Amino acid sequence: MEKTFTPLHLFKQPLKMYGILVCLLCLHLPHSFGQTVKLRKIAGPTTGSFIQLNQRTKYTEVKRENNVGHYSMKVRFKVAGATNNQYRGFKLNSTPSPISLSFDVQVYNDKTLVFSSNNVKVSPGAKGGYVYKASFKDANTSAKKIKVKNLKAKYNTNTRTTNSNNSQRLLIDNYYKAVTQLNGFLQKLPYLNYTDPDLLVNTQRSLHDIRQGFDKINNYHFITSLKLDQNDPAKLQQKIRRTNRLLNEGEQKFHAAEQKWHTLYYRKFVSTRQPRYLDLAIAKNKHFALPYIEKSSLALKNNRPEDALHQLDRMYNNQAVTNSSLINNATQNMYQKIFDYYVNLGKRQRHYQAQIKYYQKAQNICGRRGANIYNCDGKARALIVGARTQHYQSYLSKFNNYLQQANFRQAYTSLRAAESFQQSFGNQISDQHSVLYQRLYNRIVQKAQVQVRNQNYEQALNEVSFAEQIAQEKANVHTTNTYQEVKTSAHTNIYQQKFNRAQQAVASGDFNNAAQHLKTAHAYHQTNQQFIQNQAVKKQQLVEQYQVLLNKTVARGKGFNNQKQYSQALNDFQLGASLVNDTGAPLNTKNKVNLGLATAYTGLAINDNSNQAYQKSLDKLASAETALALVSGQQEQVNRLKIKVDQYKKEAIQRIITTRIDQAHAELKQDKLQEAMAISSGILSFTRHYNYPLTNDPTLNNKYEVLKKAIFNKECELNQKAYNQLVQKARENFDRKDFIKGWQLLEEAVGKANANKDCGIASQIAQQLKTRYKNAYQYALDWKEINQYAQSGQKTMHQKAIKLHYQVVSNYQQYNLKIFGIQKPDLQSFLENHSNVLFWTYGIIHFLDKNKDDDRDFATKLINKYIKMLPSRSNVKRLAYEMAMVDFKHDPNRLAKNQCKEAFEDYDLTSGRTYRKRVKWIKKYYCRQWNRLRKK
């Protein structure tokens, strides 16, 4: 039903018409129907409170036309009061009025619904009431009935009245919380402990918490805010006074206990003997001396003297009060105990270093503050000197023991250690070792004398050498005649033993051993001749024995040569040569030795020639020539041997060269040109080494020239074959369209032909192929360059790639490259199949910039393919920016608002779910760049 408001208007008319209008207006005055008054009760702003409202309803027939009545209706509410305005024994200040009412209105004609309006909302008017007005039409003139349902009120929680009530309720709640807290305080305060140091921390914490809670309660100002003088249901004031009195008393007790907290901890230690109380006492007062002394005593009882001293140091470092006689006596007594502890510990040690360490620690106590030990430093020094003297005597005892055992080296070591130790503390230890060096020297010489008697000459010399070392190192040790006698006797007998062994070997025919013994005796004589008795006689005997051995060796070697036992002869004459070098034998003997060597080497060389071991023969003949060069005189024998040497040398050289020429020909048959050339070069080196020019040997020279010609022919043959192979491979590569590789093979073939013109190799075929495939080769080079440009990450390189591609297309048509089976290059296919994403991006922009439909379609195709590769956000951003720059340049409506969206719609981009995000990225960055360009 239509709802309208129909106000009455009074029109001002001329005075003469006024009476008529009044009459007409009276005829049409509205008729008032039912008016009702009702008391309503609704929920207040807080839990448990209610608001009473006077509800007044009224409706009036304003006019009637065509038997249809026009009615106006009014519903009015007014706050009548509030109920239940008390809270937990306190009366609240006021109850707020609603800021609006909501309800449903229904008008009935008997039982028929004439008018309804749901969820009507009204606010208070100027006079404080809540009024709702409405108008409606109805043909029935019978009595009407108005129903108001679902009446609800809305309150403003920010109003002053509501805030006042809420804050008053909160204050009352805090009042009862404070009562509960105070009850707890009153129960706790009488039982706090002020005598046990362990519980003082809890007492301090409890007093602090109670004080904080008590101050917080006072900050509420309950007495004035809630007028507790008039109404104090839980007797808060009385509890506050009691709590304040007990709290002040507790804080005074704690302050008194806090001043002597360290003393309480110390007393707790005395009663419990728990060391932790000492640390707690120090923590409370680091100037309290007694805990340090007690900790020092405990450390010493636990065998920790260093810690005991550390505790006393802490006492003085923390400036503990030590001016009382009790503290001073306790400290002095503690230092005395630590001193005695170190002394006793040192006395129990078996090793000198350990003793000194503990005695020095005891001595270090003497200088400490507060020690005051009687004759402290004197006692410590006496202990240290005694330990050092005892240690010195231990070295001397070891010396005597080793001397009795004839272990002279260990005795000498002990004596030197004693000397070194005594010199370190010379003012404390008297010298008792100096006289013992001579005693040791004499005992060593005596032992060496016994070794000589027992024919242990080497051992005697070892002892004498040790005695010499002592005499050299110690100036107060003097050599004796016995020493000289022992040394001379030992050296003389050792030499004689070596000479006797040489004589025995000569007599038995063991010439090699005899030579070795003679060399040993000769060397020993030269080194120790000043200690050998009758050394001149003995030297003459040595020379004579050398001559005897040399004569026997030469005679036996000559016999072996006569019997053609050249190997045995060579051994003897080589031994003879070594003897000649040692003794300086006469010239005649030297000639015999060298002729014997030459004869033996020549005989062995002849045997090697017979066995075709020509190289070994040449080596031996060279040794024979060396031996003959050392012969002085006896020219006839020398010449005979030289003739024989030259004969067999020439034979060996000819056989070796002939064999190598045959080997080279064999290599050529197998096309092993390099091996044959190496053999040819080796032949020349061989002839130069043995000074045998081939020109002096026509037969060999002819064979060598034939070999050189064969090598040249084989080289030409192989080069021609290689040239043909290169040309054939080039053809095959051209057939496979590998024009670059084919061209390189042709270049190589031409080079080989030019390098071997003497062989008659012509490059005509290769040159013809180069002429034919020149343009195809250039095409392949261009494509290689295009790919290099495309693979680059630089935009300028991509530009060069596309520019060169257009040139390649032009060359393809100009030079008719189709005849080589090359397909016409296509830029779109090249771009689409390329793997470089950055090159794709440039290609996309290139085709967009051409601004043709087909080109833009291809660019869109590339974009979709690019999106499906799932590129990074930065790459997508770069592409979108460049797309926007190109499209903005070509769009005539580019400055229009939102034109970027319209331009972007021209791209038919992929719509798959997987790629949706990247399409959004492209659109976002595309429009961002477009708008930047618009602003510029």
Side-chain angles (χ1 to χ4, degrees), residues 565-583:
Q565 297 179 7
Y566 300 116
S567 295
Q568 293 88 330
L570 182 61
N571 290 334
D572 281 346
F573 284 115
Q574 285 176 337
L575 177 60
S578 68
L579 293 172
V580 166
N581 293 331
D582 286 345
T583 61

Side-chain angles (χ1 to χ4, degrees), residues 4 6 30-31 33 60-66 68-72 135-139:
T4 59
T6 310
H31 302 282
F33 294 96
T60 305
E61 182 179 335
V62 178
K63 65 179 179 178
R64 180 173 291 275
E65 293 179 353
N66 300 325
V68 175
H70 294 254
Y71 298 92
S72 68
S135 62
F136 57 91
K137 298 176 183 180
D138 188 21

Side-chain angles (χ1 to χ4, degrees), residues 112-175:
T112 303
L113 181 64
V114 176
F115 169 78
S116 69
S117 180
N118 296 327
N119 198 22
V120 175
K121 293 184 179 180
V122 292
S123 300
K127 297 181 179 181
Y130 303 83
V131 180
Y132 170 72
K133 295 180 180 181
S135 62
F136 57 91
K137 298 176 183 180
D138 188 21
N140 196 334
T141 58
S142 60
K144 302 291 190 295
K145 181 170 63 175
I146 299 176
K147 289 185 178 181
V148 177
K149 298 181 178 180
N150 299 325
L151 179 61
K152 297 178 183 178
K154 181 180 180 181
Y155 300 92
N156 187 354
T157 57
N158 294 324
T159 62
R160 183 178 301 172
T161 303
T162 303
N163 285 341
S164 176
N165 285 337
N166 288 341
S167 61
Q168 192 175 9
R169 289 172 180 273
L170 181 61
L171 186 64
I172 293 169
D173 291 337
N174 289 330
Y175 167 88

